[in-house]
Each structure stands twice: as structure tokens, then as C-alpha cells.
Amino acid sequence: MALDYYASGAWDEVTLRENRAGFEQIKLRPRMLVDVSQRDLSTQILDQSLPIPILVAPMAFQCLANPEGELATARAAAEVGAIMVLSTMSTKPLEAVALAGKQSQQKQEATSEIKNPSWFQLYVHRDRTLTRRLVERAEAAGFSALCLTVDAPVLGCRERDRRNQFTLPVGMELANLATMTGLEIPKTAGESGLLSYFAQQIDPALTWRDLEWLQSITTLPVLVKGILRGDDALKALDHGAKGIIVSNHGGRQLDSAIASIDALPEVVAAVGNHLPVLIDGGIRRGTDVLKALALGASAVLVGRPVLWGLAVAGVAGVRHVLQLLRDELDIAMALSGCTKVKDIDSSLVKIKD
């Protein structure tokens, strides 16, 4: 059940596969005879200096992979200097996750420039008082940004979860919600409990006005996650978003939706230099990070590989995955004639016809 929950996509999993295929269609055009003896992978997003342009994507229920769950991921991300985006649906409380990241950060001189190693991903519930309280808790705990997920007004049909009648095992809970309201993933005969939860609790009437409402109740910058079109990117800009995350939810929402990497150029062209544009979906190698940066992304978010590392070896596993991506990006930059992230531009890539 846990493996299928992590690995699956919606319906026929076409978009899940296309997220990888999209990267594989992009070819690199390296520059030669550039002095790459010194390289700098650092970048800046939302006035934060980051050692690497790699973040951990929000992923629910991480205790399914390891008993320490989100705490382990937060510690490892902070050690490497990668911002972790914590899911609303975490199985460890947001306050504890923020503290774990801060404590690990304080031990790492290399990440001393990061104001806080964590952002918070938000699902807007029908109960706006509950939603407001989540935002207040995230801000009080020291999270430095909010990521509003907009591509899940209802949950995509994940047939593996339906077959397994997905629910959380005994002893595991929605740590950010259970203590506030008693909310839990129901056991639903013949159906995914998560699908039932979304149908009952998540607000399907969310509009751009709600983005303005969210910004009115917090001082944190709000990024919009789940954008795949240039016109939606412009609406996000017009309604005050401070960043955009190009995402199709890892192929888990609308099957046959465009691959994230294929949507990226249109979104970047729409907002220009007005907003940072990040991307998730299908990133498995340092060369994928390079390709995304070349097509205009400010940084990438990595999901499933982090979960596999977490399942194998907890903190050490997540740290190893992130270090692999960092080191691969470093080598890819050197072999492409890039000494810093700003050197990476669209001349480095060719999209196969």
C-alpha cells in the first residue's frame, strides 16, 4: 500500500511517464574551453541565498517510509543546504519539523546563509478557520514561505490507491490536523481514504480571490504550486503571488496533463523576470536540474527520489540522494562550460523534435 501510494500516478499514469520522457527529449549543447576550475552552485530565491538550486518537494505521510518521517527529511535537507517544503498532510507536527531543520542548520556552516530551511505547503480546507490556524502556526514556527497548491480542488483518481483502499496505518495520523480538529484519513470500502478525505475537507471552490485572502492573513511570501499555463502564471502575478511552481503534482492529478518540463518555457516567458519560477516532476539526475535551469527555472523541487532515500536509510538516505544531485549538477555544469548558475541559459539545450 505504501509503495503504491508513493509510486503511482492518476489513471493510466501517462503524465507520470511523460514527466521523465520530457527531460529525456532535451539534449545538451555544452560550451568548450571555458575555465571551470572554480564553480559556484549557489542561487537566490525570495531574497534567500541558497547553496544549491534544489529543494525538497512537499510529500505527505513520510512516516510510511521511515518512523522519523518528515523529521529525518528536514534534518538531511538542512545538512545539505536544501530547503524542505513541508506538506499540510505531514505525519509529524509542523513545529517539530521546523525545529529539526533549524537545529541541523545550526550545525552546518555551509548553510548559514539560509534564513530558514523550510517552507510550508498549504491545502485550503473548507473550514477557513482551520486554514487560517495552519497559516498562523507555520508563521509562528518560523517557516519562511507558503506554497499554495492549486491543482487539487478534488483528488485525482489513483487506481492503485483505490485497489488498496488506502488509509494510514494504526498509530499514524495527520499530525497538523488531528490535534486541532480530530480530522483523519477515513477507511472507505472499495475506495482510497485520501480521496474521501479530499471530497469531505478540501475546498473545491478555490479561486484567485482566495490567493488574495491568503496573503491578507500572513506576512509570508506565497508561491502558487501547480501552474502549467502562461495565462495562469500571469494571473498569479496579477494577484500578488511571489513565485510560481510549475507542477502537475507528480502525475497524480489530471492524467494526460502536460509534462512539467514541457510547460516550463511558456510559464517563464509569461512572467519574465517578475517572479521566480520553480519546477517539480521527473527530476532524477543533475543533468535534469541543469536542463530545467537552462529553460528558465530558478530552482527545482525533487520528490520521489527523496522518499526512496528516506525509506532506505532515513536521514543518511535523504542526505545521500541530495548530495548525489548536487554533485551531479556540479559535474554537469563543468562539462557544459558553466561556472555559476547564472551562466546556465537556453543556448545550452536543444529540445528534440
Side-chain angles (χ1 to χ4, degrees), residues 79-146:
E79 290 175 12
V80 177
I83 284 178
M84 175 187 180
V85 186
L86 179 69
S87 172
T88 292
M89 305 290 186
S90 63
T91 40
K92 294 292 184 182
L94 63 90
E95 292 85 0
V97 177
L99 180 60
K102 290 177 186 176
Q103 290 175 337
S104 290
Q105 176 198 4
Q106 290 168 358
K107 299 176 183 177
Q108 307 298 317
E109 292 182 2
T111 61
S112 60
E113 293 181 350
I114 301 179
K115 296 177 183 177
N116 188 277
S118 300
W119 294 354
F120 186 72
Q121 175 271 334
L122 182 70
Y123 285 117
V124 175
H125 285 65
R126 295 173 187 266
D127 183 343
R128 292 307 173 90
T129 300
L130 166 63
T131 301
R132 180 191 289 267
R133 179 62 183 134
L134 280 172
V135 172
E136 292 171 347
R137 287 175 58 194
E139 190 163 355
F143 287 83
S144 56
L146 296 176

Side-chain angles (χ1 to χ4, degrees), residues 62-336:
Q62 292 184 29
C63 283
L64 288 172
N66 180 280
E68 289 296 301
E70 293 84 2
L71 298 177
T73 303
R75 293 184 182 112
E79 290 175 12
V80 177
I83 284 178
M84 175 187 180
V85 186
L86 179 69
S87 172
T88 292
M89 305 290 186
S90 63
T91 40
K92 294 292 184 182
L94 63 90
E95 292 85 0
V97 177
L99 180 60
K102 290 177 186 176
Q103 290 175 337
S104 290
Q105 176 198 4
Q106 290 168 358
K107 299 176 183 177
Q108 307 298 317
E109 292 182 2
T111 61
S112 60
E113 293 181 350
I114 301 179
K115 296 177 183 177
N116 188 277
S118 300
W119 294 354
F120 186 72
Q121 175 271 334
L122 182 70
Y123 285 117
V124 175
H125 285 65
R126 295 173 187 266
D127 183 343
R128 292 307 173 90
T129 300
L130 166 63
T131 301
R132 180 191 289 267
R133 179 62 183 134
L134 280 172
V135 172
E136 292 171 347
R137 287 175 58 194
E139 190 163 355
F143 287 83
S144 56
L146 296 176
C147 297
L148 173 65
T149 293
V150 297
D151 60 3
V154 298
L155 198 70
C157 183
R158 304 165 193 174
E159 293 180 345
R160 296 198 229 178
D161 287 350
R162 172 177 285 174
R163 285 194 295 271
N164 294 330
Q165 300 181 58
F166 176 84
T167 190
L168 290 179
V170 174
M172 204 175 294
E173 64 180 8
L174 296 170
N176 296 323
L177 301 164
T179 55
M180 293 169 59
T181 60
L183 293 179
E184 60 183 19
I185 303 298
K187 294 182 179 180
T188 308
E191 187 53 86
S192 162
L194 185 60
L195 187 144
S196 299
Y197 179 92
F198 265 67
Q200 295 165 12
Q201 303 297 338
I202 302 301
D203 190 353
L206 204 66
T207 69
W208 292 107
R209 291 190 301 274
D210 296 299
L211 173 58
E212 296 176 355
W213 168 78
L214 177 58
Q215 293 171 104
S216 75
I217 64 172
T218 183
T219 62
L220 298 179
V222 178
L223 298 90
V224 177
K225 180 179 183 294
I227 298 297
L228 293 171
R229 297 166 52 116
D231 52 357
D232 276 348
L234 283 173
K235 288 177 182 176
L237 174 62
D238 291 342
H239 286 82
K242 296 300 186 289
I244 289 170
I245 301 175
V246 175
S247 173
N248 54 37
H249 217 105
R252 294 159 69 79
Q253 281 298 99
L254 176 64
D255 200 23
S256 292
I258 187 172
S260 296
I261 192 65
D262 293 337
L264 177 62
E266 179 183 331
V267 173
V268 170
V271 300
N273 296 321
H274 297 291
L275 290 177
V277 177
L278 294 78
I279 181 174
D280 69 15
I283 295 154
R284 299 293 181 268
R285 287 282 188 179
T287 47
D288 298 332
V289 181
L290 182 68
K291 292 172 183 179
L293 297 177
L295 289 174
S298 300
V300 305
L301 295 91
V302 179
R304 287 180 177 93
V306 169
L307 286 173
W308 307 146
L310 179 65
V312 169
V315 173
V318 173
R319 182 173 60 243
H320 183 60
V321 167
L322 294 173
Q323 287 172 335
L324 279 173
L325 287 169
R326 180 193 62 195
D327 294 346
E328 289 176 4
L329 174 60
D330 182 44
I331 293 171
M333 286 174 59
L335 294 176
S336 298

